[in-house]
Amino acid sequence: MRIQPTSSYTAIHCTGAFRPAPPAWGPALSRAYSSFSDSKRWLDRQRNDPYVKKAQQLNLRSRGAFKLIEIDQKYHFLRSGAVCIDCGAAPGGWSEDPAAPSAAITGTAGGGDSEKYRIFAMDLLPMAGIDGVQFFQRDFTQPESIALLKNALKGKPVNTIVSDMAPSFSGTHSIDHLRTMNLCEDVLGLAGQVLAPGGTMVCKFLVGGSEQEFRQELRNHFNKVNIYKPKASRKESSESYFVCLGKKRSP
Ligand SMILES: C[S@@+](CC[C@H](N)C(=O)[O-])C[C@H]1O[C@@H](n2cnc3c(N)ncnc32)[C@H](O)[C@@H]1O
């Protein structure tokens, strides 16, 4: 059953005003202040982040690659030659294959299979092309997008589905949590249709209360369901990942 956002969802989502302005200021000044301090904080954080530095050294598209690498170092599910779907792929840190450690993730390297595409990636945002990756700039939550993916697969069984999708944040944690849970539910829906028995699903969410209930649901479909937060995921972020291993055969 789909988790419904609270009734305050629309009001908060539509106003977009999440940071109370200092009372004595006019709205414009207060907005400028918030955005200045936010961008300064962001810049400071980027400068001091070892994963950002490492990603730059290795010429990776994003520091996010290290999250998947770490998840795999713990659970060992990635393998060369696998067929993979990468949901919320842009800018491509999880899909790329620059002879980086993440090459094995999506299996473009040395699969021994002459088929052109082994990775099927989707994002709302554009993504620069990557060899072996068929990219769709689409909204994953739309049924037509799923139809497109299934069509592209041409019946190939999928070994791994990863989702690093993050909705645009409202600033209200309970709402953002539910939005991520809804995305996870959509990813599970796709897994039910295309993931091969034994396959793996990795899916990001924000911790917020309903994850244990959803974990129970995931257990109906996978032999093992873990929750894991890689070190590369920032401490101040409530993001975490469901790591679902061994998809069960459909009854
Ligand atoms: C954290 S980023 C992914 C980073 C990527 N794994 C990497 O390491 O380069 C999350 C992405 O999810 C995408 N996204 C969010 N909601 C989506 C949706 N409904 N359909 C497709 N993509 C979505 C966003 O556009 C964003 O690019």
Side-chain angles (χ1 to χ4, degrees):
M1 196 184 65
R2 197 170 181 83
I3 300 158
Q4 292 304 324
T6 60
S7 54
S8 55
Y9 176 89
T10 313
I12 296 169
H13 177 64
C14 294
T15 60
F18 309 114
R19 187 183 295 273
W25 292 7
L29 189 55
S30 137
R31 264 201 308 276
Y33 174 83
S34 310
S35 87
F36 173 74
S37 52
D38 280 354
S39 40
K40 185 173 174 321
R41 238 197 324 269
W42 185 85
L43 275 174
D44 289 346
R45 201 175 62 181
Q46 289 292 99
R47 272 193 213 106
N48 299 322
D49 183 331
Y51 294 101
V52 171
K53 286 186 189 145
K54 215 160 142 186
Q56 282 164 351
Q57 280 160 10
L58 293 171
N59 205 19
L60 301 182
R61 292 180 179 215
S62 83
R63 71 186 287 295
F66 297 113
K67 298 181 195 174
L68 190 55
I69 291 164
E70 254 186 80
I71 297 171
D72 184 57
Q73 278 171 350
K74 183 156 175 71
Y75 294 105
H76 311 290
F77 56 91
L78 301 172
R79 58 186 175 78
S80 189
V83 173
C84 178
I85 297 179
D86 185 358
C87 314
W94 287 17
S95 278
E96 73 181 341
D97 180 13
S102 58
I105 287 168
T106 40
T108 46
D113 184 324
S114 59
E115 298 231 1
K116 194 169 170 202
Y117 298 118
R118 307 196 65 85
I119 304 166
F120 300 85
M122 184 168 285
D123 204 291
L124 291 167
L125 301 176
M127 182 170 103
I130 302 175
D131 274 355
V133 179
Q134 188 168 14
F135 176 69
F136 302 93
Q137 188 180 353
R138 305 285 297 217
D139 181 349
F140 181 80
T141 63
Q142 296 305 306
E144 313 82 69
S145 307
I146 301 300
L148 209 68
L149 270 176
K150 285 170 71 177
N151 195 36
L153 283 167
K154 299 194 180 86
K156 271 198 275 267
V158 175
N159 307 104
T160 310
I161 299 180
V162 292
S163 168
D164 199 21
M165 279 190 288
S168 48
F169 291 130
S170 72
T172 300
H173 187 73
S174 55
I175 292 171
D176 295 335
H177 160 66
L178 290 178
R179 285 184 181 170
T180 60
M181 298 310 296
N182 284 341
L183 286 171
C184 290
E185 208 181 325
D186 288 340
V187 177
L188 177 61
L190 175 66
Q193 297 176 61
V194 302
L195 191 62
T200 302
M201 181 180 110
V202 173
C203 205
K204 174 154 87 184
F205 67 98
L206 296 187
V207 172
S210 60
E211 61 274 8
Q212 291 303 340
E213 191 186 333
F214 188 62
R215 188 180 187 182
Q216 282 305 331
E217 171 62 19
L218 289 168
R219 285 191 174 117
N220 295 328
H221 305 277
F222 292 89
N223 291 325
K224 280 219 162 106
V225 180
N226 305 286
I227 290 182
Y228 182 65
K229 182 175 175 71
K231 287 194 194 76
S233 169
R234 293 188 163 108
K235 274 199 220 80
E236 64 273 25
S237 159
S238 64
E239 78 175 10
S240 197
Y241 292 84
F242 291 113
V243 184
C244 311
L245 305 169
K247 189 190 168 216
K248 295 178 180 172
R249 283 184 186 280
S250 313

